[in-house]
Amino acid sequence: ELEPVGTSLRGWAEHLTTLAGHPSRLEELALWKRQFEGPDPLVGARALDPARDTAATVRHLRLTLPPERTAPLLTRVPAAFHGGVNDVLLTALALAVADWRRRRGHAEATGVLVDLEGHGREDVVEGADLSRTVGWFTSLHPVRLEPGVEDWAGLWGGGREAGQALKRVKEQLRGLPDHGIGYGLLRHLNPDTARELAALPTPQIGFNYLGRLAAGTDTDWAAAPEADGLGGGADDAMPLPHALEINATTEDGPGGARLGVVWSWPDGLLSEDDVRDLAETWFRALDALVAHAEGPGAGGHTPSDLTLVSLTQDEIDAFEDELEPGTEWEMPK
């Protein structure tokens, strides 16, 4: 006999509708509009066309990072920077897109606008309990990631530039309240703000890290073989939401965990060679972050880690540079 459900799907939806009109959420409007400021050159040969670029035209490229290159991304790198795996993956993506565009004559596009997908089960409703509620609670929000690289040679060599980029992106992600769920509330559930946000462009790139899929037994659930990358079925005529979508998972295997990535795009908008170039540049950027994290003096805190003091990143870096090598410190929370 199943235990009772704490908060029903219907109850959750009603709570979110109410929350969409709360003054604290309305204050986020300017934040979300700022995400669209800055250059965003076309990633493909043309703009996405909902009439032409449909599910029937989608192409896929799947690449896998071996265990020895995946393991540090799950452990040493995020631990060194007091962050999460998503911070590492998205920093590398921002670096890869910036370099990919730079090599195509768009050096001014130092950042990237991404539609970031999340699980949506955020702690934003007091007393809500979704632990036994079945449903796909996906949230989707835009974020502009600016790694701020000036020395590309130093970055690819795993130098200090790599660590600075990770710290910047980590803080940009931390600057979005409640993992970005407020954007969806204002975009879809508040009629006063929905029109304003609907007028803004859709990010060209979508990203979703589905997390780690642990190795199980024959009695555990598993994705169907045809569900490559945990994708779902779609009508062939359905317009594609992004020019390029990236779905990543970490999958346990006999030799260790592997990062598997599925890149999807509409045929005719990008060539497979272009996508493969970007995908391999992303893996190269991940390797650069690992190389940096394994070097002396790597890692450190960022302003969002320190809740009792107000310090800039430069002040934190200067303080940490004064510590003896290998010294660990922790600010009180």
Side-chain angles (χ1 to χ4, degrees), residues 268-309:
L269 197 63
L270 287 155
S271 71
E272 182 171 330
D273 287 343
D274 286 336
V275 177
R276 185 177 293 275
D277 181 4
L278 178 56
E280 291 177 349
T281 303
W282 187 50
F283 278 177
R284 184 186 180 195
L286 289 170
D287 288 341
L289 294 175
V290 171
H292 171 75
E294 294 179 342
H301 294 78
T302 59
S304 64
D305 296 324
L306 314 179
T307 58
L308 299 182
V309 293

Side-chain angles (χ1 to χ4, degrees), residues 151-215:
D151 177 12
W152 283 97
L155 170 84
W156 294 126
R160 188 180 181 93
E161 194 84 16
Q164 291 173 335
L166 205 162
K167 289 178 180 178
R168 291 189 189 102
V169 170
K170 173 190 166 185
E171 286 301 286
Q172 290 158 15
L173 293 169
R174 296 297 185 278
L176 305 178
D178 300 314
H179 300 100
I181 195 172
Y183 175 81
L185 302 183
L186 298 178
R187 170 64 181 85
H188 299 288
L189 299 180
N190 186 317
D192 295 327
T193 56
R195 288 185 294 273
E196 194 168 354
L197 291 176
L200 297 172
T202 300
Q204 300 178 77
I205 299 175
F207 180 85
N208 185 18
Y209 176 59
L210 290 137
R212 186 167 184 171
L213 303 181

Side-chain angles (χ1 to χ4, degrees), residues 29-38 112-114 141-145 172 175-176 183 200 203:
L29 182 60
L31 168 69
W32 296 117
K33 292 169 67 175
R34 285 199 301 272
Q35 303 305 313
F36 295 88
E37 297 175 357
V112 58
L113 180 64
V114 178
H141 65 84
V143 58
R144 179 170 292 277
L145 303 175
Q172 290 158 15
L176 305 178
Y183 175 81
L200 297 172

Side-chain angles (χ1 to χ4, degrees), residues 81-101:
F81 289 89
H82 305 274
V85 176
N86 234 24
D87 299 325
V88 181
L89 299 181
L90 287 168
T91 299
L93 178 63
L95 293 169
V97 174
D99 180 68
W100 187 75
R101 281 173 163 166

